[in-house]
Amino acid sequence: MLKIENLQARIEEKEILKGINLDIKPGEIHAIMGPNGSGKSTLASVLAGRADYEVTGGSVEFLGKDLLELSPEDRSREGLFLAFQYPVEIPGVSTTNFIKTAVNEKRKYQGEEPLDAAQFLRIMKEKMNLVEINQSLLSRSLNEGFSGGEKKRNEIFQMAMLEPKLAILDETDSGLDIDALRIVANGVNQLRSKDNAFLVVTHYQRLLDYIVPDFVHVLYNGRIVKSGTKELALELEERGYDFIKSEADQAV
Amino acid sequence: MDAIQFFTDAYAQQSSSLHLHAFQQSNLDAFSTMGLPAIKHEEWKYTKIRNLFKDGLTYTPTLSNSEIKFQTLKGTEEANRIVFVNGLYNAALTHLIEAEGNIVVKPLDTAAGDEDAELVKKHLGHSKDYHLDGINALNGAFAAGGVFIKVKPNVVLTQPIVIYHVTDNANGMIFSQPRILGYLGKNAEATIIETYVSTGNSESLSNEVIEMCVERDANLLYIKLQNEGAHSSHTGTTHIRQLEKAMTQAITISLSGAIVRNNLNMIMEAEYGESHMYGLYLLNGNTQVDNHTIVDNQMPHCFSNELYKGIMDDSSSGIFNGKIFVRKDAQKTNAYQSNKNVLIGANASANTKPQLEIFADDVKCSHGCTIGKLDEEALFYLRARGISETNAKALLLHAFAGDILQQIKYEGLRTHIDELISERLSFQI
């Protein structure tokens, strides 16, 4: 589904990704862990198409297409979803109107008729239950004045509405209390299928108790320095990132 | 030809006024002294008004025929309609649906000689004290072709009064000078909407003065909608006086034009008055819109709130100048002003200037202005959800304009303007 080969990227003059290799297949959940500043969020941003980053080498193939050639909107319409670490507050744009626009643009791209008001409402109700999000929240301006937990739930709700093939959760757990974390994870687990995949970017192991990954990768200094199964996350939790750092630094 | 000579000749040729002769003559004299404002005039720094008075501009202030066809304003199908053609009040096209006796609409020249003569004498020309620039005087010299509107005390108009300014420019360039004097009696409530339409695409310039007086506890909502097209220029003064404690609100929406200058004055002459001013200018091409506002707080305990927002695309330019006077006696004044601009065109520009002149010592006044671009982070967020760049920009700009649009309480009109904006921003699914 997603094949990243030797991906390198920088922001301004600073090299951040120094050769990432990653292969994600349908039905899999991959976790990317790593200390602060290792490049986790950069990887998520580059995949979603944020313009601040310049890709200086390597390739990314997504469902047979060259992902890096696509605009951010086309990446989304092709089935890529980024749950933002810091969802943006947009006053004056109602959440419902925003999601309706997004859903219908995707349908148009795929050659489908736009949803009418009744169809949209029915699907929305269904997905709202999934992520335990309240109607009153969706009537408000997009993320404006939302608590941290509400913003993250809104991200998962948008994901549910857009039904992506590959969802990247960029530190979705940061700033969440245990109840919010449970709701978010529960939403993700219900959306899991053999056809879609998840890339969970996180600093802590805690989220992975709820969203159990098939593979765990440790990103350090712009490279994946260690890959393993979910036991690796537990080991990191126990030993911290220092042993990874020293191993990696010795190897260089 | 020299403008002073040109208009002196036109003045001599206009059909003689019955009751406004002295008023017109004094204005012509003032115009002859001042002429048209040059750009060295601080108030006209950005608006090159002289360039608009070019050769070939026809000015024949005589009543044109009534056969003229024009598009009515969507969303205001049920309304009292007052029509000007080429700057002259046209009684034949005017149509009132309000019960007779609730409102009075008649030629200004007539009003100056009947039972309303006192009102006309007292209030006509009050705006000139705020605009010593020749342009206001030029309109005054031809005021007899204007209209007088009176809403009787305690009357609440169920439908708005829509004033159509029709420019019959199908056969050449037109200069027009509409003049309106309005009066809201005690405890009356009315909405006045001004809109501008033309029959052709020749260049045109309208120089308008509307003066409104509002009595105790009356409530005036005034909406000015400009979307006449790139060929039309406009200089207009909306002068609203609160004679006693009242509530006035003005919404100015400019969507197109060549060179547009809007003066808006809120004259707070009594204690406890309240006024609101909203403006939206959404410009493209080479359109220039210059909004000058004045709030003159003369007595204590008045409240005013002002919010103007501009979106400039292409090579358009938006200018905002907001003056707030707080006179010596106007203690406990609350006056707020804000002007926000978004530049989306590579050659677009915005100029903004708040001017506060405060002579009282116990007041609350604030002002703020911003000029910026669209929030890149917000834009990326929308695009990352599959929304095209054009639609994402449209959503953000629409939201930006929303603060102003939501002030329009007539749903039909609000929807119409909303659609004009969506169309302009090319929003589509």
Side-chain angles (χ1 to χ4, degrees):
Chain A
M1 175 179 283
L2 184 80
K3 196 171 178 57
I4 304 175
E5 279 183 348
N6 193 27
L7 181 65
Q8 298 155 53
R10 65 178 180 189
I11 184 162
E12 284 158 7
E13 292 305 304
K14 196 169 185 287
E15 292 289 337
I16 307 209
L17 302 184
K18 298 172 182 168
I20 303 273
N21 293 291
L22 187 62
D23 199 354
I24 300 179
K25 294 188 171 57
E28 293 178 349
I29 294 186
H30 290 243
I32 299 253
M33 301 184 71
N36 289 326
S38 58
K40 302 190 297 290
S41 280
T42 298
L43 176 62
S45 292
V46 167
L47 293 177
R50 193 185 284 275
D52 308 344
Y53 297 92
E54 188 194 344
V55 174
T56 51
S59 67
V60 182
E61 194 187 296
F62 177 57
L63 297 168
K65 292 199 168 136
D66 181 355
L67 185 77
L68 301 176
E69 285 297 308
L70 300 175
S71 65
E73 52 268 38
D74 281 350
R75 294 180 195 201
S76 166
R77 294 158 177 173
E78 289 286 348
L80 186 87
F81 181 91
L82 171 66
F84 279 56
Q85 184 178 1
Y86 303 109
V88 185
E89 297 196 14
I90 307 185
V93 174
S94 91
T95 308
T96 307
N97 192 24
F98 153 71
I99 293 173
K100 194 174 176 190
T101 306
V103 167
N104 281 336
E105 283 218 32
K106 181 175 179 176
R107 292 179 67 88
K108 186 175 141 195
Y109 181 82
Q110 294 172 338
E112 294 170 309
E113 286 293 306
L115 294 177
D116 65 31
Q119 291 168 316
F120 176 76
L121 223 63
R122 186 177 52 75
I123 295 175
M124 201 170 91
K125 286 250 152 60
E126 183 188 311
K127 308 290 183 180
M128 275 163 60
N129 291 334
L130 202 70
V131 293
E132 300 176 42
I133 200 164
N134 201 307
Q135 175 66 51
S136 67
L137 214 56
L138 302 182
S139 312
R140 281 162 55 184
S141 285
L142 186 50
N143 292 327
E144 192 186 28
F146 285 24
S147 71
E150 288 169 336
K151 283 180 184 168
K152 296 299 172 78
R153 246 149 67 192
N154 192 12
E155 293 294 287
I156 302 305
F157 171 65
Q158 291 169 37
M159 181 174 85
M161 289 298 294
L162 290 168
E163 300 178 327
K165 292 280 192 305
L166 172 67
I168 304 166
L169 310 184
D170 187 8
E171 306 213 13
T172 297
D173 52 334
S174 67
L176 291 190
D177 62 31
I178 197 74
D179 290 331
L181 190 73
R182 186 189 51 76
I183 291 170
V184 163
N186 193 30
V188 170
N189 287 329
Q190 294 202 47
L191 294 169
R192 241 188 123 159
S193 80
K194 62 176 177 30
D195 299 320
N196 61 20
F198 290 84
L199 181 60
V200 182
V201 176
T202 181
H203 186 77
Y204 302 104
Q205 189 271 337
R206 196 178 58 151
L207 178 66
L208 304 180
D209 286 341
Y210 298 90
I211 305 173
V212 182
D214 301 301
F215 300 97
V216 174
H217 311 278
V218 181
L219 194 62
Y220 175 60
N221 206 8
R223 287 188 184 90
I224 290 175
V225 293
K226 204 174 179 71
S227 293
T229 55
K230 62 177 194 273
E231 283 70 29
L232 177 58
L234 292 169
E235 190 183 358
L236 286 168
E237 179 78 357
E238 210 168 287
R239 298 176 64 187
Y241 284 109
D242 285 347
F243 86 97
I244 296 279
K245 289 183 190 174
S246 54
E247 270 181 33
D249 291 341
Q250 273 167 22
V252 173
Chain B
M1 194 194 291
D2 165 62
I4 294 174
Q5 189 58 52
F6 179 85
F7 286 109
T8 305
D9 291 350
Y11 182 80
Q13 281 160 25
Q14 76 171 329
S15 43
S16 62
S17 153
L18 296 170
H19 305 288
L20 289 168
H21 180 74
F23 178 80
Q24 296 196 128
Q25 186 62 51
S26 69
N27 275 282
L28 182 72
D29 294 345
F31 174 68
S32 304
T33 313
M34 291 181 281
L36 294 169
I39 51 167
K40 66 177 188 229
H41 193 303
E42 179 62 24
E43 292 297 303
W44 293 88
K45 193 164 143 186
Y46 297 105
T47 304
K48 294 176 181 149
I49 193 72
R50 285 187 175 195
N51 295 356
L52 296 175
F53 288 82
K54 48 187 84 166
D55 291 337
L57 211 55
T58 311
Y59 188 52
T60 46
T62 50
L63 206 58
S64 72
N65 72 48
S66 301
E67 299 297 296
I68 201 156
K69 294 267 183 294
F70 60 91
Q71 187 83 41
T72 51
L73 179 62
K74 266 195 196 162
T76 64
E77 286 74 14
E78 287 286 303
N80 300 284
R81 193 169 73 200
I82 294 177
V83 181
F84 280 78
V85 177
N86 292 347
L88 296 171
Y89 166 60
N90 190 313
L93 292 170
T94 293
H95 177 69
L96 304 179
I97 58 171
E98 188 62 34
E100 213 166 312
N102 282 349
I103 55 175
V104 174
V105 176
K106 60 191 170 190
L108 189 53
D109 201 23
T110 307
D114 64 15
E115 71 272 17
D116 290 313
E118 263 316 292
L119 280 180
V120 175
K121 192 167 178 207
K122 223 161 121 189
H123 301 300
L124 186 68
H126 190 269
S127 63
K128 76 170 187 304
D129 298 346
Y130 292 83
H131 301 286
L132 296 168
D133 55 20
I135 277 290
N136 185 284
L138 181 58
N139 178 291
F142 298 88
V147 74
F148 174 80
I149 305 166
K150 183 166 79 173
V151 181
K152 300 254 176 91
N154 302 313
V155 169
V156 177
L157 292 190
T158 49
Q159 299 297 339
I161 298 169
V162 182
I163 303 176
Y164 290 91
H165 294 281
V166 183
T167 299
D168 186 11
N169 59 347
N171 304 309
M173 298 195 276
I174 294 289
F175 174 60
S176 60
Q177 299 209 85
R179 181 81 181 208
I180 299 158
L181 178 63
Y183 179 83
L184 254 69
K186 219 178 257 184
N187 200 34
E189 188 173 331
T191 297
I192 291 189
I193 301 169
E194 287 201 278
T195 183
Y196 305 80
V197 287
S198 34
T199 59
N201 290 310
S202 300
E203 278 180 76
S204 66
L205 167 63
S206 57
N207 176 37
E208 180 192 356
V209 176
I210 173 169
E211 296 171 319
M212 296 289 310
C213 300
V214 179
E215 287 285 7
R216 187 174 189 85
D217 297 325
N219 190 326
L220 170 69
L221 169 59
Y222 169 84
I223 300 172
K224 183 173 186 177
L225 173 62
Q226 299 171 311
N227 191 25
E228 204 180 346
H231 58 274
S232 69
S233 291
H234 174 80
T235 57
T237 294
T238 300
H239 186 77
I240 298 172
R241 292 175 72 184
Q242 293 195 5
L243 305 172
E244 294 286 343
K245 168 184 84 80
M247 167 79 167
T248 52
Q249 184 177 352
I251 305 172
T252 306
I253 296 182
S254 311
L255 302 177
S256 70
I259 290 181
V260 173
R261 166 63 175 263
N262 297 315
N263 296 321
L264 173 64
N265 309 333
M266 288 283 188
I267 315 300
M268 316 291 282
E269 299 179 28
E271 285 185 78
Y272 294 103
E274 181 173 338
S275 67
H276 299 263
M277 285 147 283
Y278 297 97
L280 172 67
Y281 37 107
L282 170 60
L283 314 177
N284 61 4
N286 291 310
T287 299
Q288 180 189 314
V289 170
D290 182 351
N291 279 302
H292 270 57
T293 67
I294 295 174
V295 184
D296 187 0
N297 296 281
Q298 301 178 354
M299 296 296 280
H301 297 289
C302 282
F303 173 92
S304 68
N305 183 38
E306 181 170 18
L307 174 64
Y308 269 68
K309 288 189 155 188
I311 299 169
M312 273 68 72
D313 200 353
D314 301 330
S315 301
S316 63
S317 88
I319 297 137
F320 174 81
N321 182 299
K323 283 200 187 72
I324 297 174
F325 296 109
V326 182
R327 309 286 180 191
K328 194 164 81 323
D329 294 334
Q331 299 293 3
K332 305 283 182 190
T333 291
N334 279 318
Y336 306 100
Q337 181 190 88
S338 170
N339 173 231
K340 295 177 177 173
N341 297 282
V342 176
L343 299 178
I344 51 175
N347 297 309
S349 68
N351 285 284
T352 175
K353 183 180 177 187
Q355 268 179 284
L356 275 57
E357 296 188 24
I358 300 172
F359 303 98
D361 55 15
D362 183 12
V363 301
K364 269 188 224 161
C365 291
S366 75
H367 64 87
C369 48
T370 58
I371 300 175
K373 289 186 182 308
L374 274 181
D375 181 355
E376 288 292 335
E377 189 62 23
L379 208 52
F380 177 66
Y381 187 67
L382 298 178
R383 292 179 70 194
R385 295 294 174 260
I387 297 174
S388 71
E389 192 173 359
T390 305
N391 278 356
K393 282 180 179 171
L395 277 176
L396 294 177
L397 292 171
H398 215 123
F400 177 77
D403 292 352
I404 307 298
L405 291 180
Q406 71 188 29
Q407 301 299 331
I408 299 173
K409 65 177 183 181
Y410 298 97
E411 201 189 338
L413 181 62
R414 189 177 59 239
T415 306
H416 171 57
I417 297 174
D418 218 53
E419 283 166 4
L420 289 175
I421 290 174
S422 288
E423 199 177 307
R424 170 72 67 79
L425 298 173
S426 316
F427 182 85
Q428 57 183 339
I429 291 288

